[in-house]
Structures are given as C-alpha cells and as structure tokens.
Amino acid sequence: GIDPNFDENREHVGEENGLDVWGPVDPPEKLGIHGAHVAVDYDICIADGACLENCPVDVFDWVDTPDHPESEKKVEPTREDQCIDCMLCVDICPVDAIDVDAS
Ligand code: SF4
Ligand code: F3S
C-alpha cells in the first residue's frame, strides 16, 4: 500500500492540476503520489472507483493515465481541501492506495 510517510520519504517533484506530486515519476509507467492531505499512489491504484463513488464530499475526479501498467485511469484528489477526514476512502480501497492525514 501507499507509504504514509511519503512526504518524508519521497521527493516533491512538482505540481499537477494544483496538487503536489511526489516522485519518482517516469511516465507513462511511473506516476508517483498525487495530493497532500488526501494522497493517492497512482502506481498502486487499479481504478476500482469505490473511493470516488462513496466519498461524501466528492473529493475525487478521474484522470486518464494511458499505458500505466495497473490501470488506464486514476482518482485525482482534486478537492482535497473539502475532505472531512471520514477515512472511508482509506478503508474501502482494495489495494490501499490512499492516505489521509487526519492529524
Ligand atoms: Fe472523502 Fe472521507 Fe476520503 Fe476525505 S477521508 S477524501 S471525505 S472519503
Ligand atoms: Fe484507486 Fe483504490 Fe480508489 S484502486 S480508484 S484509489 S478505491
């Protein structure tokens, strides 16, 4: 699953759509972790969709990631500033791709 200490263990390599990106990044195969308060490891996400469908405040949007080995789309935590720390997405993801820093 996602490393909950990604902000210490990974390099901040820039921003995409206003969200922090944590490397290593080498597209299309390696896309890194996207977000900060709500962070999604794009290299683990298999596009299950349960997070996006069930988030009570609609934090996520789909983004296309053609030729990524795990899935052709990922959930971007576009509205992570709206997150209410319910932890539903963290608990429901079958591959543990999401970290929410509720502290
Ligand atoms: Fe949405 Fe809850 Fe996940 Fe925050 S913790 S992104 S509110 S499902
Ligand atoms: Fe991806 Fe897990 Fe959501 S696989 S789409 S982060 S439920």
Side-chain angles (χ1 to χ4, degrees):
I2 186 171
D3 175 3
N5 297 317
F6 66 89
D7 53 336
E8 290 163 17
N9 295 337
R10 287 174 172 239
E11 189 184 351
H12 184 250
V13 294
E15 290 193 1
E16 199 172 288
N17 303 332
L19 295 172
D20 290 319
V21 180
W22 312 82
V25 169
D26 186 16
E29 291 91 4
K30 198 111 184 87
L31 300 174
I33 291 175
H34 292 234
H37 181 73
V38 180
V40 180
D41 193 324
Y42 279 20
D43 296 309
I44 295 175
C45 174
I46 56 170
D48 176 88
C51 57
L52 179 146
E53 289 161 19
N54 291 288
C55 174
V57 291
D58 195 22
V59 160
F60 301 101
D61 283 331
W62 287 118
V63 292
D64 290 326
T65 57
D67 299 322
H68 188 271
E70 297 299 338
S71 56
E72 302 266 303
K73 59 180 183 176
K74 309 292 177 185
V75 284
E76 180 184 79
T78 313
R79 289 167 295 281
E80 63 174 354
D81 56 326
Q82 305 286 307
C83 175
I84 57 171
D85 299 343
C86 72
M87 304 312 256
L88 181 149
C89 60
V90 172
D91 294 338
I92 208 171
C93 176
V95 291
D96 207 8
I98 306 178
D99 179 66
V100 173
D101 181 14
S103 58

